[in-house]
Amino acid sequence: MPDLSFPIRVGIVGAGAIARTSHLPALLARGDAVKVVAVCDLDPGRAKELADAYDIPGRYTESTDVVARENPDLIAVATPPVAHREAVITALGAGAWGWCEKPPTLSLAEYDEITAYEKDGGPTVGHGIHQMDLLLNLLGDWHEVHAVAATLGRRTETEDVSFAIVRFACGAIGSSVNSVMSPRETSCLRFDFTDATAEAEHLYGHDNSHWRWTPAPHVSDTGRIAGWAPDENTTQLAFHPARHAAGRHGSR
Ligand SMILES: NC(=O)c1ccc[n+]([C@@H]2O[C@H](COP(=O)([O-])OP(=O)(O)OC[C@H]3O[C@@H](n4cnc5c(N)ncnc54)[C@H](O)[C@@H]3O)[C@@H](O)[C@H]2O)c1
């Protein structure tokens, strides 16, 4: 892995929607700490368009050329999943970090190929990651996981349903269900505390308005219950780079 020296030189592989609306704005928000040196896409027009928009010097159609000519510290892989394995291996093989979009690979066999190149750290995981990220953010590190994965309805090499029971280091216990087979798509989080149940239900993005809570019968202090409303974190929302770039989700 590269030594940590600044600016971190980044090559973006895949110049589509997620690169444009999330990766680039997030990287550029790091200011002088990060320099995006190249954009790579199978479609040279897309690479050029994104590179022109952000005045990025390198434009390529092959990730191998990015690592050969630009000496990047990090390759951000934002291609469709079918191309993740190759781009991540190209990055790791050249001694760069690989930062991969989800899902990391199409199969466990591909994932094993990637880990064979890994020395430290690894790609991010797949479906349901956003809810799991939020769980970890709220409850802290996990300690123990029991999981079952199955392919029940899709002709894929990966699972289309997974269940996990997670014990967190803080002592909390959670269950996680991920399914790409649910006709009514939704993301639900539910936390049962001694004094209240707190829940959020949303699809592809949540804010404070999605949360609701139910006090336990023994909790009758209305002032305390009113204080459970999530703070309007307007500062964070106002400066969220992906929000600005995408111009979506509205403002609260
Ligand atoms: N984290 C999130 O919230 C989130 C949201 C949407 C998409 N994604 C993930 O991001 C990835 C990309 O999704 P997208 O919506 O931006 O797709 P997209 O189709 O808009 O863009 C993908 C780009 O990659 C290019 N590409 C394909 N194969 C390539 C290769 N071998 N080398 C270089 N470029 C190649 C395509 O030409 C295209 O321009 C997917 O893995 C998707 O699952 C993540």
Side-chain angles (χ1 to χ4, degrees):
M1 294 300 114
D3 293 333
L4 192 61
S5 63
F6 295 98
I8 294 172
R9 295 170 60 81
V10 183
I12 296 183
V13 178
I18 199 73
R20 190 173 58 252
T21 61
S22 294
H23 288 237
L24 254 176
L27 289 164
L28 296 176
R30 307 317 301 167
D32 292 341
V34 166
K35 182 172 171 55
V36 181
V37 293
V39 177
C40 167
D41 198 290
L42 278 184
D43 178 340
R46 280 202 186 179
K48 179 178 180 323
E49 187 185 338
L50 193 61
D52 281 351
Y54 290 94
D55 206 16
I56 297 164
R59 297 108 198 265
Y60 298 93
T61 55
E62 298 287 340
S63 56
T64 46
D65 287 338
V66 178
V67 300
R69 297 189 201 164
E70 299 287 353
N71 191 28
D73 300 305
L74 168 70
I75 294 289
V77 180
T79 65
V82 68
H84 287 178
R85 181 197 66 91
E86 185 184 334
V88 172
I89 284 178
T90 299
L92 297 178
W97 291 301
W99 179 22
C100 187
E101 259 302 341
K102 57 111 181 141
T105 53
L106 297 179
S107 67
L108 286 176
E110 280 193 359
Y111 193 81
D112 288 344
E113 280 186 64
I114 284 180
T115 53
Y117 278 81
E118 261 183 89
K119 299 183 186 73
D120 192 13
T124 55
V125 293
H127 217 81
I129 185 66
H130 304 297
Q131 314 327 309
M132 290 192 234
D133 276 348
L134 185 55
L135 272 184
L136 291 169
N137 185 255
L138 293 170
L139 297 177
D141 288 344
W142 58 268
H143 173 68
E144 189 182 345
V145 178
H146 300 270
V148 176
T151 309
L152 297 183
R154 301 287 165 94
R155 293 168 64 85
T156 63
E157 292 179 23
T158 57
E159 82 283 359
D160 53 17
V161 177
S162 68
F163 291 74
I165 295 169
V166 183
R167 188 189 298 276
F168 291 86
C170 68
I173 296 174
S175 65
S176 161
V177 179
N178 289 287
S179 165
V180 293
M181 294 176 51
S182 312
R184 186 176 74 80
E185 263 192 282
T186 190
S187 297
C188 303
L189 285 154
R190 173 177 168 138
F191 298 86
D192 288 310
F193 301 102
T194 313
D195 286 355
T197 289
E199 296 163 271
E201 180 163 3
H202 66 95
L203 188 60
Y204 302 130
H206 60 90
D207 58 30
N208 290 345
S209 70
H210 291 92
W211 285 91
R212 65 192 175 99
W213 54 97
T214 310
H218 67 268
V219 179
S220 55
D221 179 342
T222 50
R224 182 176 170 221
I225 294 168
W228 289 342
D231 291 338
E232 292 295 330
N233 197 344
T234 47
T235 309
Q236 183 184 345
L237 292 175
F239 289 101
H240 192 286
R243 190 182 195 86
H244 271 296
R248 58 187 181 186
H249 300 313
S251 58
R252 291 204 66 238

